[in-house]
Amino acid sequence: MTTPSGGSDPDDYWRRPGTGDGAVPDQPPAAPAATPPSGQSTSPTNPPPSGYASPPPSGPTGPSTSPTGPSPTGHAASGYAGPPPSMPPPAGWRPPVHLQPAPPRQLPPQDMADLDAAEQRSQRVTYGFGAAAGVVLLVLLCLLCSRVIF
């Protein structure tokens, strides 16, 4: 990682870039002032200091159900409308299949007597290695015990 030169703050790397109109790097760009329709109270237009939009206000019947997306003024509305609706695919959406796979081949016949003999041989080898390891461990145990006793 390289350090920017010019004596800047080490946290500048993680901050959002400016908008190019003289914006302060710590503050989000200011929203244009909008005048509310007559008869409604004004709400604060200052965004939260983190730069994220605040959740929509909830009324007496619960959260507001305003549509999301660009509003008539061109600004995106805050809130999450959920995933897009899923639509079933149209009939016949699969591509046509032109090639059919070949049928599976037959396996060669198995000689069960030969398989049983090979399994018995491998079992004898396994038991032989186990017995040899057991004898070695028994001899080591006897040596350790004789050193402790004598």
Side-chain angles (χ1 to χ4, degrees), residues 1 6 8 21 26 35-36 55 59 90-91 97 115 123 128 131:
M1 181 174 140
S8 61
D21 56 358
D26 290 339
T35 57
V97 177
L115 287 174
Q123 190 176 16

Side-chain angles (χ1 to χ4, degrees), residues 7 12 19 28-29 38 45 49 65 69-71 76 78 88 90 93 96 100 102 107-108 110-111 113 118 128 137 149:
D12 284 346
T19 58
S38 62
T45 58
T65 57
S71 63
S78 63
W93 64 274
Q100 294 293 330
L107 291 174
Q110 296 180 355
D111 184 10
L137 289 176
I149 295 174

Side-chain angles (χ1 to χ4, degrees), residues 23-100:
V24 179
D26 290 339
Q27 299 294 326
T35 57
S38 62
Q40 292 184 359
S41 65
T42 61
S43 63
T45 58
N46 294 339
S50 65
Y52 295 107
S54 61
S58 59
T61 60
S64 64
T65 57
S66 63
T68 60
S71 63
T73 60
H75 299 291
S78 63
Y80 176 65
S86 61
M87 307 228 354
W93 64 274
R94 295 182 189 267
V97 177
H98 296 289
L99 297 174
Q100 294 293 330

